[in-house]
């Protein structure tokens, strides 16, 4: 039994009292300092109070997620499943994680892998494919292998995929890139960023290391998953007829894509494409104002050379209107699926329709004269070619990149929401309400 030591206040110990526990085991008595027992209890109490405080704080600043009509896009799962059983229910899909990184991104890569393995891949063991426009060094490769038991391949991206095309006058486009920096456009003067956006828009799915896969999950350095993922998203995407999946939809910076929507809208009319998903990107989804302007054949746009700026500006004004984001009465609301997380089928890209769209858009030079991101490019392509029912919102996932964050809350599994970050669904720059209108009758 436990009890206070009767010798605690003996004459020898009056000046230095020692609080002890005494436990009798058989004929022997063990004396245990009270601090050894009390410290773990105190730590456990403080941890419980801290977790409770975080929960209360998050609940006060983040109301429950709103209910939506999800008949076109239901959750694949709600709450937790038996992951061990789930992982044995079907064979692994032909899928990989895709991570574009440089050697200097090692710390951020390790952070992402640790989070992804903890919340998902330690159960499902999908392989990783790392890509870099320079060779990976041995330190990077050896370190990454320490954090996962999954197979890993490292590949280099050639200049034909990550650089300027051969048929343009590079100095002219470098001048346009520098001009974007002078105008304060985010990453506008970073030439490698333009290469990256163009690579993910029209080339990554052609990389030799990825040709053998049907599905991919894009992962960026320095991302955090805050809910367990107790099911295989690749399997459920195929089971439910989904082609493209996202977790965050936000509005793009308008000065990065002043012409992208107009070109895409012109292409849509030229090809006579009709998809209800296009309404997700319209300022007024229910209105389609007819214009008397001649429909533009976007295939006629070609690269400019010597008198680059004046000719390009003239062609843009002649062919695509002077307004920043209008086309035939349509106005771009700047919404897009944030592509630093996306789970999708390579079939979305590896077909004649997408290839023709990319080549047509690429001929405008917009990846250089503007800072077209792969996120709005993928999104508008989805609006052209996919049905609403073929896109999935992973609303049960918890995901953070930079200071933009979504938490699955009560929809997900073991979610540990981060109170210091606002929920993107409630943010002014988010596009949740636009999605709710497209997939159903809006909010319930």
């Amino acid at each position: 039994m436990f009890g206070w030591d009767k010798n605690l206040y003996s004459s020898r110990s009056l000046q230095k009292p020692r609080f002890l526990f005494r436990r009798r085991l058989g004929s022997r008595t063990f004396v245990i300092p009270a601090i050894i027992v009390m410290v773990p209890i105190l730590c456990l109490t403080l941890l419980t109070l801290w977790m409770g405080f975080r929960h209360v704080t998050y609940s006060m600043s983040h109301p429950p997620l709103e209910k939506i009509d999800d008949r076109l896009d239901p959750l694949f799962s709600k709450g937790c499943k038996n992951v061990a059983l789930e992982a044995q229910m079907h064979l692994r899909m032909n899928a990989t994680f895709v991570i574009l990184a440089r050697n200097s991104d090692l710390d951020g890569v390790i952070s992402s892998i640790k989070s992804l393995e903890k919340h998902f891949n330690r159960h499902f063991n999908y392989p990783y494919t790392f890509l870099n426009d320079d060779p990976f060094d041995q330190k990077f490769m050896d370190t990454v292998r320490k954090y996962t038991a999954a197979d890993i391949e490292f590949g280099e991206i050639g200049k034909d995929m990550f650089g300027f095309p051969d048929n343009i006058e590079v100095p002219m486009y470098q001048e346009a890139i520098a001009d974007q920096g002078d105008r304060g456009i985010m990453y506008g003067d970073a030439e490698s960023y333009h290469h990256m956006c163009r690579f993910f828009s029209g080339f990554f799915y052609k990389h030799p290391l990825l040709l053998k896969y049907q599905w991919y999950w894009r992962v960026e350095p320095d991302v955090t998953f805050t809910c367990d993922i107790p099911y295989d998203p690749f399997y459920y995407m195929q089971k439910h007829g989904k082609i493209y999946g996202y977790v965050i939809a936000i509005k793009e910076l308008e000065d990065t894509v002043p012409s992208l929507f107009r070109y895409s809208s012109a292409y849509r009319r030229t090809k006579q494409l009709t998809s209800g998903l296009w309404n997700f990107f319209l300022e007024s989804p229910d209105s389609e104002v007819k214009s008397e302007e001649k429909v533009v054949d976007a295939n006629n746009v070609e690269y400019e050379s010597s008198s680059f700026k004046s000719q390009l500006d003239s062609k843009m004004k002649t062919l695509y209107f002077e307004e920043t984001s209008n086309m035939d009465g349509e106005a771009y609301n700047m919404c897009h699926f944030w592509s630093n997380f996306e789970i999708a089928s390579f079939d979305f890209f590896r077909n004649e329709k997408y290839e023709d769209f990319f080549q047509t858009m690429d001929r405008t030079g917009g990846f250089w004269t503007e800072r077209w991101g792969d996120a709005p490019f993928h999104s508008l392509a989805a609006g052209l070619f996919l049905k609403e029912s073929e896109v999935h919102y992973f609303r049960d996932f918890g995901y953070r990149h930079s200071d933009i964050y979504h938490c699955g809350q009560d929809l997900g599994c073991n979610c540990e929401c981060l109170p210091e970050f606002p929920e993107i669904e409630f943010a002014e720059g988010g596009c949740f309400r636009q999605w709710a209108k497209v997939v159903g009758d809006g909010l319930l």
Side-chain angles (χ1 to χ4, degrees):
M1 62 176 293
F2 287 96
W4 293 105
D5 195 311
K6 294 180 180 179
N7 297 322
L8 189 62
Y9 293 109
S10 65
S11 58
R12 292 182 303 173
S13 58
L14 282 176
Q15 294 180 348
K16 296 182 179 180
R18 294 175 300 147
F19 293 92
L20 307 172
F21 283 114
R22 183 179 62 187
R23 185 175 184 183
R24 184 179 298 278
L25 295 177
S27 61
R28 303 182 63 182
T29 300
F30 294 87
V31 179
I32 306 174
I35 192 170
I36 295 179
V37 177
M38 297 303 296
V39 166
I41 295 175
L42 179 61
C43 291
L44 182 60
T45 302
L46 291 175
L47 178 62
T48 302
L49 290 173
W50 170 243
M51 295 303 293
F53 173 76
R54 283 172 62 89
H55 178 75
V56 171
T57 302
Y58 188 88
S59 299
M60 291 175 62
S61 57
H62 299 73
L65 296 177
E66 297 183 78
K67 294 182 179 180
I68 62 173
D69 182 346
D70 60 357
R71 286 172 292 180
L72 281 178
D73 184 31
L75 293 173
F76 294 155
S77 174
K78 185 173 181 179
C80 294
K81 292 184 174 182
N82 184 327
V83 186
L85 178 61
E86 181 75 14
Q88 300 301 319
M89 289 183 65
H90 55 80
L91 297 175
R92 296 294 172 268
M93 303 293 289
N94 183 18
T96 183
F97 300 107
V98 176
I99 303 180
L100 179 66
R102 291 198 164 111
N103 293 306
S104 57
D105 294 321
L106 180 58
D107 290 342
V109 166
I110 295 306
S111 177
S112 296
I113 292 178
K114 288 170 66 176
S115 183
L116 186 57
E117 290 288 322
K118 173 186 175 182
H119 291 287
F120 172 74
N121 204 45
R122 62 192 174 99
H123 301 294
F124 294 93
N125 207 40
Y126 275 105
Y128 291 83
T129 303
F130 283 86
L131 301 177
N132 188 353
D133 60 317
D134 288 318
F136 284 106
D137 60 37
Q138 198 63 44
K139 176 185 176 182
F140 185 100
M141 295 187 289
D142 290 344
T143 304
V144 165
R145 290 191 177 102
K146 296 178 181 178
Y147 290 90
T148 177
D151 292 336
I152 304 176
E153 288 188 292
F154 298 92
E156 187 175 353
I157 307 169
K159 298 302 181 184
D160 57 330
M161 293 186 175
F162 207 94
F164 291 106
D166 294 333
N167 58 340
I168 68 171
E169 293 192 24
V170 174
M172 293 294 180
Y173 285 84
Q174 289 177 326
E175 180 183 349
I177 291 172
D179 178 68
Q180 293 171 54
D182 294 341
R183 290 185 281 125
I185 296 176
M186 183 179 293
Y187 305 126
D189 60 346
E191 185 177 303
S192 63
Y193 195 90
H194 290 260
H195 294 329
M196 181 272 291
C197 292
R198 184 170 176 266
F199 168 73
F200 267 123
S201 296
F203 295 98
F204 84 101
Y205 48 91
K206 304 172 188 175
H207 192 280
L209 290 184
L210 297 177
L211 291 177
K212 58 180 172 286
Y213 293 109
Q214 181 184 359
W215 296 88
Y216 74 96
W217 179 336
R218 181 170 164 185
V219 181
E220 291 282 305
D222 288 310
V223 301
T224 303
F225 296 87
T226 59
C227 297
D228 289 344
I229 304 169
Y231 62 88
D232 186 338
F234 300 115
Y235 172 78
Y236 282 92
M237 287 278 285
Q238 178 168 284
K239 180 179 178 180
H240 290 270
K242 302 293 183 179
I243 303 297
Y244 185 92
Y246 74 96
V247 72
I248 288 177
I250 57 175
K251 294 186 177 182
E252 180 61 290
L253 301 173
E254 189 169 354
D255 57 4
T256 65
V257 288
S259 300
L260 177 59
F261 179 77
R262 284 180 289 145
Y263 286 17
S264 302
S265 183
Y267 186 90
R268 175 174 174 263
R269 285 165 172 74
T270 300
K271 301 297 182 179
Q272 298 181 338
L273 301 174
T274 57
S275 169
L277 184 60
W278 185 255
N279 290 329
F280 176 69
F281 307 102
L282 301 184
E283 191 66 53
S284 302
D286 299 327
S287 64
E288 183 129 351
V289 180
K290 300 296 181 181
S291 170
E292 296 183 359
E293 295 284 351
K294 183 179 179 180
V295 173
V296 180
D297 184 351
N299 288 290
N300 290 331
V301 180
E302 298 177 353
Y303 281 123
E304 301 297 329
S305 55
S306 57
S307 56
F308 165 71
K309 279 191 174 181
S310 60
Q311 289 187 23
L312 181 65
D313 290 346
S314 175
K315 176 162 284 190
M316 287 171 61
K317 291 179 180 179
T318 302
L319 295 180
Y320 293 100
F321 302 132
E322 295 185 16
E323 293 82 359
T324 300
S325 57
N326 288 330
M327 183 62 193
D328 261 5
E330 295 180 338
Y332 185 25
N333 59 16
M334 310 308 296
C335 285
H336 66 283
F337 308 125
W338 217 26
S339 63
N340 54 71
F341 171 101
E342 56 185 9
I343 298 177
S345 169
F346 280 119
D347 291 343
F348 173 53
F349 304 98
R350 294 172 182 157
N351 59 76
E352 293 181 0
K353 293 188 300 182
Y354 185 91
E355 185 64 21
D356 182 71
F357 175 63
F358 171 73
Q359 294 296 339
T360 300
M361 302 297 281
D362 196 33
R363 284 194 293 271
T364 70
F367 286 107
W368 320 112
T369 61
E370 300 173 9
R371 203 224 67 192
W372 290 358
D374 53 279
F377 195 90
H378 287 186
S379 300
L380 291 173
L384 294 174
F385 303 124
L386 298 182
K387 303 174 184 177
E388 306 96 307
S389 59
E390 292 177 319
V391 176
H392 181 63
Y393 175 21
F394 285 98
R395 204 182 186 200
D396 53 315
F397 282 22
Y399 177 78
R400 180 195 66 82
H401 181 53
S402 185
D403 58 350
I404 298 179
Y405 177 59
H406 166 71
C407 186
Q409 297 191 47
D410 61 332
L411 301 177
C413 176
N414 297 326
C415 293
E416 298 177 359
C417 299
L418 305 174
E420 60 269 32
F421 296 102
E423 168 60 55
I424 188 60
E425 282 196 6
F426 308 138
E428 184 177 348
C431 295
F432 167 69
R433 292 183 177 273
Q434 287 85 345
W435 179 250
K437 292 178 181 178
V438 167
V439 298
D441 296 327
L443 301 173
L444 296 179

